[in-house]
Every structure is written in C-alpha cells, then in structure tokens.
Amino acid sequence: MTDESTGDKTMTPDEAVAGLRSGMTLGIGGWGSRRKPMALVRALLRSEITDLTVISYGGPDVGLLAAAGRIRKLVAAFTTLDSIPLEPHFRAARERGGFELTEIDEAMFMWGLHAAANRLPFMPVRAGLGSDVMRVNPELRTVTSPYPNDAGVREEFVAVPALRMDAAFVHLNRADRLGNGQYLGPDPYFDDLFCEAADTAYISCEQVVETAELTKDAPPQSLLVSRHSVTGVVEAPNGAHFTSCAPDYDRDEPFQKLYATTPWPEFAERFLSGASEHDYQTAVQAWHKEQQQ
Amino acid sequence: MITRAEYCVVACAEAWRDNGEVLAAAMAPVSSFGARLAKRSFAPELLLTDGEAMLVGLDGSVEGWLPYRRHLTMVTGGRRHVMMGASQIDRHGNQNISCIGDWERPARQLLGVRGAPVNTLNNPVSYWVPKHSPRVFVEKVDMISGVGYDHAVGPYHRIPRVVSDLGVFDFETPDRTMRLASLHPGVTVDEVRAATGFELAVPDEVPYTREPTAAELRLIREVIDPKGVRDREVRA
C-alpha cells in the first residue's frame, strides 16, 4: 500500500497546466459536450500555451481553444455540442483556415488510442478505405492481412497510427489523491485510454475522496483510471461545466446556448478573463442570477 | 388521411425488416420512429438504444450496456443497421456530413465524418433525408464520409435503402446506382427528378410506398409519436 503522504498528486488547475509547453500534443477526454475537462481547458486558456496539437472527440474544448487561437492542428472525427449539433467556434476556425485538421473516423480514433496505450505503432481497422479520409490525410498507410479470409482474400486495412500524446486531460466524478479516478455516469467514453496513451495525464474531478471511499457505494469497475497512468489530480467541482457530468449534473443548456451565440471576445471577456476557475464559476453564477430576474 | 410523414415512418421501418437480432440505430425523429415501429410490429427481435449508453426495451427498461466503445464493436461486428442522415448523397450512395466546399478551406464546416467511414464498410447503412432537394442529392459529394458502391471495399458494404420525403430509393441496378424504388403517395416521378441533382434510375413502373396498416397507424399516432413530431420534420 502506497503511503498517501508520498503519493499525493493533488494540484490546482494552473499547476497542471504548468506541466505543459507550447507545441505539445494534448489529448482531451470526454465526448462532444459531455464530461469535458473544462476547468483544465480554462486553465490552459489563462496560460500562454499555444501551437497545440489537440486530439479530441471534439466538443466545446475544441471550440474554446480554436476561438482563442491555441490550436495548430486538430485530430478529430467530429466536433459537436450535442444539443447544438454544430460547434460554432470550431466551424468559424475551420472556415477561416484557423488550424490544420487531421480528420479521421471515430473507430480509427479509438484504435489509434488503443495503439498508443499498448505501445504499438498502429492498429489495423476496416474503416477509412474508400472514403475521402484517405484523400485528405495522404500520410495514412494501409496493411494487407497476413491471413486470408474465408473467401481466400487477404483483406487490406487502414493502419491507424498510434495517437501518442505528451499530455492528456480528463474529467471524472471522483478520484483519490493518488490518481485513481472513478466515473459514475453511464459511459466511460475513452478517458482511461487517453491517460494510458499520454506521457503525462491530468485528471480533474468533482470530488477528491479517500481511496476506501471510492468503492464504498460504487462497484470496482467504476474505477476507470488507475494511478500509474496519472500525473496530477485536480479537484474541480463543477469542473466539466457547461458540459454534462452525469450523475452529478446535466449540461447547462442555457449557458451553452449563450456560449454558442455570443461573439467570442464578449464571451471571453465576461467569463474567461478572471484569474482562476473560481472567478469563472462566480461569473457563471452571476449570469444565471441575472437570467432569473 | 395518412400524412407524408407517416408514409416516411413506414418506409424507414421497412429498412429493418428481416434483419434479425441487430441494433436498429437511427438519429433523426422519423427514422427513430421507424425503428420503433419495426420493433413494435414486424421485427420484435431488434435492439434499440436510449441514445446514450443503454440498450433498452420498448418500455425503456434497460437490457444491456452500450457505451461508445462497445457501440463501435457492434458496428464492426456487423450486428447493427444504422439509418444515418446525409448533407449530400450521390448516385452511388456516397454520403457527406463533413463539410461543404473544398475540404482544405470549407465554405461550410459541418460535423466531420464521424463514424460514417467505419459504418459503411462494416454494417448495413441506410439513409433518411427529410428534405429531398438537388442540394442534397448531388452529382458528386464534396467529401466522401459514408462510402458508396463505387468506392466500397471489403466484404460487408451494403446500402439497403435511402428514404426521403418523396420516396424510397435503392441501388438494385446492374451498376449499383440509385434507383427510385417507390413513390410516397401524392408524389410524381417528375417531382422526384426535379429534386434530384443527378440522373436517377427510374423503372417503367414505379410502385407507391405501402400504406401503413390500421394497427401501425395507431402505433405511430398514439404510442410512438403522440405529439406529432413527425409532421414537423416532414410537412406535406
């Protein structure tokens, strides 16, 4: 049993971001506008870090970083706000040629994560062939099966390159100080793979609890992320806001709508110009109060 | 009086007839209603999702766990028939949901290819297009997301049908190009041709899309879509 006094990985969002540098490859967990590590993304926006290669099942994490001009290259299969199908800041950035895009299929993405997590250079997938994914990503290679199928054919597959990352951000419901992370919602998304595919991984969570507390009321298979794949643990209540973090909270739909319809400089000034995550949360509360009046 | 939307629900439902124990996946209201109609009537063995991470029965009770990573296995394992949307689709069944215009610098960025490339090479993919127009039914799609018959590779590619607000289409021609399979009652061949941006294969005799049975109509109106969402997606 690890001595918790020596294994404590807790840190602030800004301390997590201090482990990153411009030009790095950053993986961001969650899916669309669900359980995105938004507190960590906001900390990134408060830093000077730019020129990032971002790997994400894209949601507002991509939109925010694109609007702020922090992305050099995006690796994604889609970018969406779920209830608002098209992410406006991602769209605007694409339409003005704001970053380079490596557009791959969802399954190619998943197997790229598996490859990276398993220290494999690639994984074969029956996806991408015949589509324009191959045209717009001419660096993609194919492999021929060494084994003939029942029809005697050696099928050709796309060799999805490993999506290895310098760092990964994910948001979970709970974690202990050592870096064991737990999801309590219905879908793990691919957060464990993001952590295993990255050289360093920072997990934010709604609540840091004692290790024994994790499995007191929840089954062991809810322990999604293990500490050996985690560099830092950030307690960030409401840290996925405005995306959902089931079962702790749903997506903040009115606020997401505000995000999607407000000119970027105005939104950034009001909600993202503060010095801390606390300032953001306070600004959001003030906005909600205004709406009730 | 049967509405156009109700014909569309029936035409979508028919896509899953005799599919066996597979996931009937759909995104838009009318195609989802079609999946539920199929399961409630002639294909009770179909699996449905709650749109999140669960396999659910008709009453919403959970019968399985289907997070994204397992959903992708259902795709590549072939135990799924999805009815996707299409921002553009061409005569060979190539579909685009990624962007309009030049990919390098799109005039309109859309969703991205999502799972269309993996879907189309691994499990049957049908399409539902609620507004049939030359902007959707195009000569050539700007970005092949879902793969059509002229680009398909591997043993599992299949596009059983395309359903629009005007009719049902398949690829049952010698060269696997889109063919008018049935007209929804009230629609003419000329209307379909005018709304299609490529030369469509049209047989000499085009049947009408079948009528819903009385039982199906009751299911659609009273059980599956009592609020009439279908008539807001398809107005005619």
Side-chain angles (χ1 to χ4, degrees):
Chain A
M1 187 71 195
T2 306
D3 179 358
E4 294 202 18
S5 62
T6 57
D8 192 327
K9 293 174 185 168
T10 54
M11 55 178 70
T12 66
D14 299 280
E15 284 167 346
V17 164
L20 270 57
R21 298 285 173 270
S22 291
M24 275 188 167
T25 297
L26 173 67
I28 303 178
W31 175 286
S33 193
R34 305 169 198 211
R35 218 175 68 223
K36 283 289 176 178
M38 298 298 276
L40 292 172
V41 170
R42 288 187 281 268
L44 195 53
L45 291 171
R46 288 194 297 275
S47 79
E48 299 293 312
I49 292 165
T50 189
D51 202 30
L52 293 167
T53 293
V54 171
I55 298 175
S56 176
Y57 284 104
D61 52 329
V62 168
L64 283 163
L65 292 170
R70 305 301 181 91
I71 303 178
R72 181 178 62 78
K73 182 160 118 180
L74 174 68
V75 181
F78 61 81
T79 303
T80 181
L81 298 174
D82 294 346
S83 55
I84 299 173
L86 302 177
E87 218 294 347
H89 298 301
F90 160 72
R91 297 190 78 184
R94 271 285 282 153
E95 290 167 14
R96 68 172 178 265
F99 53 78
E100 194 185 320
L101 178 64
T102 299
E103 184 165 3
I104 60 172
D105 165 272
E106 277 170 30
M108 292 169 68
F109 191 121
M110 178 180 76
W111 289 112
L113 293 179
H114 274 289
N118 288 279
R119 296 191 298 184
L120 289 166
F122 73 91
M123 287 288 276
V125 293
R126 190 186 294 106
L129 293 165
S131 81
D132 276 336
V133 163
M134 304 304 284
R135 172 172 66 83
V136 303
N137 297 310
E139 70 281 7
L140 283 172
R141 296 288 175 261
T142 60
V143 290
T144 304
S145 171
Y147 308 109
N149 65 16
D150 292 345
V153 177
R154 293 176 195 271
E155 206 183 331
E156 187 180 63
F157 299 101
V158 166
V160 180
L163 292 174
R164 194 72 206 168
M165 307 148 191
D166 296 303
F169 286 170
V170 306
H171 186 78
L172 297 164
N173 300 91
R174 302 196 296 187
D176 66 12
R177 295 174 170 275
L178 307 176
N180 295 302
Q182 178 177 47
Y183 81 112
L184 299 172
D187 201 316
Y189 308 119
F190 301 91
D191 288 358
D192 49 337
L193 289 172
F194 273 96
C195 292
E196 289 162 359
D199 295 337
T200 60
Y202 300 90
I203 62 173
S204 56
C205 63
E206 291 300 309
Q207 197 189 359
V208 171
V209 298
E210 294 300 320
T211 306
E213 195 70 19
L214 291 169
T215 46
K216 208 171 151 197
D217 304 309
Q221 58 268 39
S222 63
L223 297 169
L224 183 64
V225 174
S226 293
R227 60 184 168 85
H228 68 275
S229 61
V230 173
T231 310
V233 177
V234 174
E235 188 172 52
N238 210 33
H241 183 269
F242 48 89
T243 72
S244 62
C245 185
D248 290 308
Y249 45 89
D250 292 331
R251 186 177 305 125
D252 185 343
E253 295 287 359
F255 191 86
Q256 174 164 288
K257 194 174 174 196
L258 176 79
Y259 160 78
T261 53
T262 307
W264 170 251
E266 199 181 307
F267 180 87
E269 171 59 30
R270 172 151 190 194
F271 296 104
L272 302 170
S273 62
S276 68
E277 173 68 8
H278 178 75
D279 288 349
Y280 168 81
Q281 298 287 352
T282 305
V284 170
Q285 280 169 17
W287 180 79
H288 273 295
K289 210 164 198 180
E290 269 175 33
Q291 299 309 298
Q292 285 160 7
Q293 283 162 6
Chain B
M1 169 76 187
I2 299 163
T3 67
R4 181 71 59 76
E6 287 160 350
Y7 283 109
C8 292
V9 172
V10 169
C12 288
E14 283 291 337
W16 287 287
R17 188 181 284 275
D18 300 326
N19 277 200
E21 209 161 27
V22 305
L23 178 68
M27 287 88 177
V30 161
S31 50
S32 301
F33 299 152
R36 276 178 243 171
L37 179 63
K39 183 169 173 63
R40 281 192 182 274
S41 48
F42 53 80
E45 66 283 8
L46 289 171
L47 296 115
L48 298 178
T49 76
D50 64 350
E52 291 280 335
M54 299 297 160
L55 290 167
V56 292
L58 288 167
D59 61 356
S61 61
V62 174
E63 65 166 326
W65 183 48
L66 194 69
Y68 285 109
R69 55 181 75 189
R70 289 179 63 158
H71 203 134
L72 286 169
T73 303
M74 219 150 172
V75 170
T76 48
R79 300 304 296 267
R80 177 178 183 261
H81 178 175
V82 60
M83 190 168 267
M84 295 182 72
S87 302
Q88 295 177 325
I89 189 163
D90 70 19
R91 77 176 69 199
H92 301 288
N94 297 294
Q95 166 254 28
N96 176 23
I97 46 172
S98 174
C99 66
I100 302 297
D102 181 18
W103 180 87
E104 295 289 340
R105 186 77 180 265
R108 278 197 298 134
Q109 174 65 42
L110 305 174
L111 194 59
V113 295
R114 267 213 78 164
V118 70
N119 285 345
T120 43
L121 294 190
N122 291 281
N123 66 166
V125 178
S126 292
Y127 294 102
W128 159 240
V129 178
K131 278 198 176 66
H132 193 130
S133 85
R135 286 176 55 180
V136 178
F137 288 76
V138 295
E139 185 64 46
K140 188 176 186 302
V141 302
D142 292 338
M143 168 86 182
I144 298 175
S145 309
V147 175
Y149 280 101
D150 62 335
H151 284 87
V153 295
Y156 306 117
H157 177 266
R158 198 156 70 83
I159 308 174
R161 63 171 53 193
V162 177
V163 181
S164 80
D165 57 332
L166 300 183
V168 178
F169 307 84
D170 61 25
F171 297 86
E172 302 299 321
T173 56
D175 59 349
R176 289 288 197 182
T177 56
M178 201 186 292
R179 181 190 78 137
L180 178 57
S182 75
L183 289 164
H184 300 328
V187 182
T188 66
V189 170
D190 285 346
E191 269 178 80
V192 175
R193 280 205 172 107
T196 304
F198 53 81
E199 204 180 319
L200 194 63
V202 179
D204 295 339
E205 295 286 325
V206 184
Y208 284 110
T209 305
R210 79 160 172 90
E211 306 272 325
T213 65
E216 287 172 338
L217 211 49
R218 190 191 64 77
L219 281 172
I220 294 170
R221 291 176 179 176
E222 293 172 22
V223 179
I224 294 169
D225 181 30
K227 289 179 179 162
V229 172
R230 64 192 179 281
D231 294 314
R232 290 196 288 279
E233 193 180 11
V234 177
R235 295 167 193 272

